[in-house]
Amino acid sequence: MLKFILRRISVSALVLLGASLLMFILTVNSGDPLKDLRESNDPNRDALIAERTERMRLNDTDWERYWDWLSGVGGCFTGNCDLGVTINGIDVVGLTQQAAASTLRLVTLATLLAIVVGVALGILTAIRQYSGFDYTVTFSAFLFFSLPVFWAATLLKEFAAIRYNNWIAEGQYAPQTIVIVAAVAGFLLQAVLGGTGKRRLVTAATVFAFVMVVLFVFNALDWWRDPMFGIGGVLVVSAAAGVLVTVLVAGIRNRRALYAALTTSVVGVAAYWFTAPLLVGQPSWPLLAGLFVVAVGVSLAIGAAWGGYARKQAMIVTGITGVITSILVVADVLIAHWAGFLGIKSRPISTIGSQTPNFTGDFWERTLDVGTQILLPTILLTLVSVATHSRYTRSSMLETLNQDYVRTARSKGLSEREVIVKHAFRNALIPITTIVAFDFAGLIGGAIITEQVFGWKGMGALFQDGLAAVDPAPVMAFFLVTGIAAVLMNLLADLAYAALDPRIRR
């Protein structure tokens, strides 16, 4: 395996070297970096031209300039990284760090959401092939995949930001809106769950009544402007998540895994009770990271203690339940600060930038500000990626479900959950891994339009500004980040193959 990894890294390095040379030559010959100065009436024009010529080494050959850039990149291996300066003399390393942090924050979140939602939808549509749910998801996937990014971004800005900001000033749903929302929710859920006509009707009616009651209660409590969830809500949702994870991973009959999941929920909520003063009074990212690590460790310990003969499955169940509980705790604290956030920022959903300039507020309110800024571009990138993941997952699952070993598993009397999760899904993941790996690297480069529409100063802006100014330094920095991301994700995909299919290891 070590030889394989080293061989892949060597080949990838050669590919990056050749691609970087091509990118550099194309960039420096795409225009005149002195055009704006040649057309200027500034009395110091000649001095400015001479200064820029010296800074960008325009009198040197393309090969000499490329070698100079490559030497600076080589210095990164010794801790002396030099990616040059921009056309205005700004250090590119600092710009790249800021841009990469902004873009990776956006792309990582969108990729994780797309994987979870897309794979889940792909599995469900494969299991319920040619059903109404399958046709609905298929139509939606092709619709989202075909939408022009800039047009979808404009729709999001109009309906999810501008109109929402107008509505949140009152924070009340009209009665007719509640009826429509409840009817749509009932229709969608009965389509997802399926069944006989009578069962569909009961499902739709139950969901319709439940959503109606909840929305009217929320209106009465002014919940949309001053929401509350509370420790009780965290416990209920965490326990429900634990039961669901148990059903999917170990089966509801595995009582040890079920009790371990419920114990994890109770312990997590009890820990929230004791750490709440710390979370509210002295919050920080290192504190949250430390508490998260402790929470996962305790969750795994609970799984090991309860597990017995099913220790591995119990630890997986409690680990996932612990992560979900931790997310719920953070969400509850954020919800509690929403009213204060609205007091500072009356129009919460922003359409431009990655954060509000000169924003004043405590730790959680600043976190809400960053979260609302990242919301719309994340939704956009997630919708585009979900379409791809769901279609590939569906196709891979359908192919796997028709294999002989799946029929054998069913004939042996295994439950449908075991057939789907343990036999079909694991083997269906192999081709999906490739799509996920390349999608992450592709999103970094493909987020250029999204970043431009939403005013994000990320890798897209760095690339666009450099290309417009015929400035190779920022363009090559963009190439370096996206190229390395593609190589690393491709290598991780190969390693994932070996973990999913033992035959590949040989």
Side-chain angles (χ1 to χ4, degrees):
M1 181 61 71
L2 179 60
K3 292 181 180 179
F4 169 76
I5 294 175
L6 294 176
R7 185 168 63 250
R8 287 300 306 270
I9 292 177
S10 301
V11 173
S12 300
L14 292 176
V15 172
L16 285 176
L17 182 64
S20 67
L21 176 61
L22 179 62
M23 175 71 80
F24 190 90
I25 297 299
L26 290 175
T27 302
V28 297
N29 290 282
S30 63
D32 182 10
L34 301 176
K35 180 180 179 180
D36 59 323
L37 294 180
R38 297 186 198 279
E39 298 174 352
S40 173
N41 294 322
D42 195 310
N44 297 324
R45 185 186 65 175
D46 294 339
L48 295 174
I49 290 177
E51 180 184 2
R52 183 177 296 181
T53 301
E54 177 67 23
R55 181 188 304 126
M56 300 183 65
R57 300 185 60 183
L58 298 180
N59 291 328
D60 295 341
T61 64
D62 294 346
W63 294 99
E64 290 174 333
R65 296 175 65 190
Y66 174 74
W67 178 255
D68 181 63
W69 175 82
L70 191 61
S71 301
V73 173
C76 296
F77 295 98
T78 60
N80 189 25
C81 196
D82 181 14
L83 301 182
V85 295
T86 67
I87 196 171
N88 297 318
I90 302 174
D91 183 35
V92 174
V93 173
L95 290 178
T96 305
Q97 291 174 344
Q98 297 174 2
S102 179
T103 297
L104 289 176
R105 188 174 71 217
L106 172 63
V107 171
T108 301
L109 181 59
T111 302
L112 291 176
L113 290 175
I115 291 172
V116 174
V117 177
V119 171
L121 288 177
I123 294 173
L124 291 174
T125 52
I127 295 173
R128 301 185 55 195
Q129 186 182 16
Y130 302 136
S131 64
F133 175 70
D134 182 23
Y135 288 131
T136 302
V137 173
T138 300
F139 172 77
S140 302
F142 283 116
L143 176 64
F144 290 134
F145 186 77
S146 305
L147 283 178
V149 174
F150 62 89
W151 185 66
T154 303
L155 291 180
L156 278 175
K157 292 172 73 170
E158 172 64 25
F159 292 99
I162 297 174
R163 297 198 181 187
Y164 173 81
N165 289 333
N166 293 337
W167 172 81
I168 197 62
E170 297 294 334
Q172 294 286 312
Y173 279 118
Q176 59 269 27
T177 303
I178 293 178
V179 173
I180 294 173
V181 171
V184 171
F187 173 79
L188 292 178
L189 196 58
Q190 65 83 24
V192 172
L193 297 179
T196 62
K198 181 179 179 181
R199 180 180 176 182
R200 287 173 178 267
L201 184 61
V202 171
T203 301
T206 303
V207 174
F208 175 81
F210 176 77
V211 173
M212 284 270 292
V213 171
V214 169
L215 292 182
F216 273 116
V217 170
F218 280 4
N219 270 358
L221 297 176
D222 195 25
W223 194 90
W224 305 109
R225 289 185 53 82
D226 189 12
M228 53 184 174
F229 196 50
I231 292 181
V234 174
L235 178 60
V236 171
V237 177
S238 174
V243 173
L244 178 61
V245 172
T246 303
V247 171
L248 295 176
V249 175
I252 195 64
R253 294 182 180 178
N254 191 330
R255 297 303 181 186
R256 287 186 173 272
L258 178 61
Y259 296 154
L262 295 177
T263 303
T264 301
S265 299
V266 173
V267 172
V269 172
Y272 177 31
W273 176 274
F274 288 106
T275 58
L278 190 62
L279 291 174
V280 175
Q282 299 176 337
S284 65
W285 290 114
L287 173 65
L288 294 180
L291 291 176
F292 177 77
V293 172
V294 172
V296 173
V298 171
S299 301
L300 295 175
I302 293 173
W306 268 108
Y309 66 90
R311 177 171 296 176
K312 181 178 179 180
Q313 287 185 325
M315 291 179 68
I316 294 175
V317 169
T318 55
I320 298 175
T321 304
V323 171
I324 295 174
T325 304
S326 301
I327 295 174
L328 290 173
V329 167
V330 174
D332 182 51
V333 178
L334 288 172
I335 287 173
H337 286 78
W338 179 254
F341 176 66
L342 287 180
I344 301 175
K345 188 178 179 182
S346 58
R347 300 182 66 82
I349 308 299
S350 301
T351 59
I352 296 295
S354 57
Q355 61 184 14
T356 304
N358 303 320
F359 182 81
T360 58
D362 61 18
F363 174 84
W364 294 110
E365 289 165 350
R366 291 195 302 272
T367 303
L368 282 171
D369 176 59
V370 174
T372 53
Q373 297 280 154
I374 202 176
L375 182 64
L376 296 186
T378 298
I379 291 175
L380 179 61
L381 293 177
T382 300
L383 288 177
V384 174
S385 297
V386 161
T388 304
H389 294 334
S390 64
R391 302 317 299 157
Y392 274 99
T393 303
R394 179 183 183 275
S395 176
S396 183
M397 279 292 295
L398 288 175
E399 181 179 357
T400 305
L401 288 171
N402 291 323
Q403 297 298 317
D404 291 337
Y405 59 84
V406 175
R407 297 193 188 96
T408 302
R410 286 197 174 103
S411 66
K412 289 166 62 178
L414 296 179
S415 65
E416 191 65 15
R417 182 199 64 81
E418 290 178 300
V419 172
I420 297 297
V421 176
K422 292 185 177 180
H423 294 270
F425 179 55
R426 181 184 176 95
N427 290 281
L429 273 178
I430 295 176
I432 300 172
T433 304
T434 304
I435 304 302
V436 171
F438 280 102
D439 186 63
F440 179 81
L443 277 179
I444 297 178
I448 295 177
I449 298 177
T450 304
E451 291 181 359
Q452 183 178 7
V453 174
F454 289 104
W456 273 65
K457 293 299 181 181
M459 297 302 298
L462 189 70
F463 172 81
Q464 192 174 32
D465 293 343
L467 196 61
V470 197
D471 185 2
V475 174
M476 296 306 294
F478 170 85
F479 168 82
L480 201 61
V481 172
T482 54
I484 291 176
V487 169
L488 288 178
M489 295 306 297
N490 195 20
L491 180 60
L492 290 176
D494 291 336
L495 296 178
Y497 292 158
L500 293 170
D501 190 349
R503 295 172 298 178
I504 298 177
R505 303 172 195 171
R506 304 186 179 92

